[in-house]
Amino acid sequence: MTNYQVVWKGPVQKSTGLGTASREYAVALHRQGVDIKILSSRRSSSPSLITSLSNKRYAANKPKVLIHHGLPHQLNWAKARRTYDYILLNTVWETTKVPRSWFPSINLYDAICVPSVQNKTALRNSGVKVPVFLVPHGVHTRTFTPRNRKKPLPFRKGTFIFVSVFTFQHRKNPETLLRAFWEEFSATDKAALVIKTSGFGSRESGAWIRRRIRTYKKRLNLRKITAPLQLITGYTSPRSLKGLYTAGNAFVLPTRGEGVGLPFLESLASGVPVISTRWGGQMDFLNDRNSYLVSYQLKPPALRMKQAISRTFRPLFAQPGQRWAEPSLSSLKKQMRKAYADPTLCRRKGAQGRSDMKKQSWRHAGQAMKQAVEYVIRNKKRKF
């Protein structure tokens, strides 16, 4: 056990991708022998490692390191500096520059951990001066595996199935995904698209998402019968999600920006290749051997927001100087058609992705974060 204690402040109870990452980082540190306590406002008596770490007491006579997993300006600095000897930020961002609201607080941290090269570049280009460490996400290859039972889907045998998993927001680019599929594949193709998605809050229900998509399709004025689309908008169990990946022949998401993209990692670990944008945090592990990469241009995020069919988060993503990727519609259609036309190549790319993900472990993430913490302890004076 380390001679310092890490106190983890993050959304470990949330079922989102951010919540998953928060839990995995905390557990990875614990498995590296770090004395770690989780700050959690939600008490639980259910037996789990997260519960045990949440119920743990503060260590006596040890330096305390706070890791704040979230937005930099959401920390009570006066209280934090009275309580902790060192303070690190663990965060993520999806455009070329971080929001202005992150300053000046972001430069008050002793160090920052980010999960991708794109993130590190964005922080430096935005004016971040403190040390920035690369701490990548991992994936459990025993959980996400090609052996997982396929989720039953209502398509005829031999249908090539494109799968997509994302929250229904403009950054994920549902417009380009839907348009590419509808324009490229007709009812004469043995192809289908399955989208697992959800909105934000009770207003953005499954019915609301379906209405938005139907209205968008009418607006495109397509002159053919398109290949089938299935939307999954309700709760999906972890078992069902694992089976959804393996039911697909290819995973597709023409995202405009990702800090990492957990579904990409999960899909590749499941032996399913990815079709996605050639820019963003996912490019740390996507390549031409395991994926079909879509060309793009860096554009101001506000450029396409008027045509959005999903929530835009304009105050965050439409600030001066920000850019993100606008994937090429024609390139996306070409890559989807390429995957459809050659299932053997798809399987080969998927097998390569599976092999690549065996190196993308949470153990490595825990090692990298522990190294960042110990760098700060060695090189920074305690701040009171």
Side-chain angles (χ1 to χ4, degrees), residues 199-218:
F200 298 86
S202 58
R203 189 180 75 85
E204 296 179 9
S205 63
W208 180 85
I209 291 171
R210 292 170 191 276
R211 285 196 300 272
R212 300 288 289 181
I213 289 175
R214 283 198 301 269
T215 301
Y216 177 58
K217 190 173 186 180
K218 288 180 182 177

Side-chain angles (χ1 to χ4, degrees), residues 102-370:
W102 287 21
F103 291 89
S105 56
I106 195 168
N107 276 321
L108 299 177
Y109 288 85
D110 295 316
I112 303 170
C113 297
V114 293
S116 66
V117 171
Q118 185 272 331
N119 273 204
K120 191 171 183 178
T121 302
L123 263 63
R124 287 292 181 229
N125 290 344
S126 301
V128 172
K129 305 298 183 185
V130 299
V132 179
F133 294 91
L134 184 61
V135 181
H137 283 187
V139 64
H140 293 296
T141 54
R142 292 184 180 179
T143 301
F144 296 95
T145 166
R147 295 190 298 274
N148 286 331
R149 186 177 179 181
K150 296 181 180 181
K151 179 179 174 64
L153 295 170
F155 306 120
R156 54 182 173 165
K157 187 177 180 180
T159 297
F160 188 100
I161 299 173
F162 295 99
V163 168
S164 195
V165 177
F166 59 91
T167 52
F168 199 64
Q169 59 174 307
H170 182 62
R171 177 171 61 83
K172 301 292 184 177
N173 203 4
E175 303 92 346
T176 302
L177 170 59
L178 291 164
R179 183 176 176 183
F181 178 70
W182 286 330
E183 291 184 354
E184 185 63 24
F185 297 96
S186 71
T188 61
D189 292 302
K190 290 181 70 174
L193 172 62
V194 181
I195 295 177
K196 165 69 182 82
T197 192
S198 58
F200 298 86
S202 58
R203 189 180 75 85
E204 296 179 9
S205 63
W208 180 85
I209 291 171
R210 292 170 191 276
R211 285 196 300 272
R212 300 288 289 181
I213 289 175
R214 283 198 301 269
T215 301
Y216 177 58
K217 190 173 186 180
K218 288 180 182 177
R219 197 167 84 209
L220 291 176
N221 195 26
L222 301 165
R223 299 184 180 278
K224 65 177 181 181
I225 300 175
T226 59
L229 164 68
Q230 181 181 0
L231 290 173
I232 302 172
T233 57
Y235 169 75
T236 301
S237 69
R239 181 179 179 181
S240 183
L241 179 62
K242 290 183 287 186
L244 180 58
Y245 286 122
T246 53
N249 298 93
F251 182 92
V252 57
L253 184 62
T255 178
R256 293 181 164 102
E258 295 292 331
V260 180
L262 279 175
F264 297 135
L265 293 165
E266 294 167 353
S267 178
L268 291 179
S270 302
V272 179
V274 166
I275 305 170
S276 190
T277 318
R278 196 186 283 272
W279 184 85
Q282 71 273 20
M283 289 308 299
D284 284 9
F285 54 88
L286 296 189
N287 54 63
D288 290 308
R289 298 185 305 279
N290 61 31
S291 302
Y292 298 85
L293 298 173
V294 177
S295 61
Y296 69 94
Q297 290 184 328
L298 287 178
K299 300 282 187 179
L303 188 67
R304 302 285 177 85
M305 286 186 177
K306 287 185 178 180
Q307 292 80 40
I309 64 172
S310 53
R311 190 180 291 207
T312 62
F313 296 97
R314 177 179 283 270
L316 293 174
F317 294 125
Q319 296 188 9
Q322 288 181 326
R323 299 287 186 274
W324 65 17
E326 278 298 336
S328 161
L329 174 65
S330 61
S331 178
L332 175 59
K333 291 196 288 187
K334 178 180 178 181
Q335 297 292 13
M336 292 177 75
R337 176 61 68 174
K338 184 177 179 180
Y340 171 84
D342 193 346
T344 300
L345 177 61
C346 249
R347 288 191 291 271
R348 190 160 66 242
K349 284 178 179 282
Q352 180 64 53
R354 169 71 180 172
S355 177
D356 293 343
M357 290 306 98
K358 290 179 180 178
K359 306 166 191 172
Q360 195 86 18
S361 70
W362 284 110
R363 180 175 62 85
H364 291 144
Q367 289 173 341
M369 187 164 283
K370 182 181 179 183

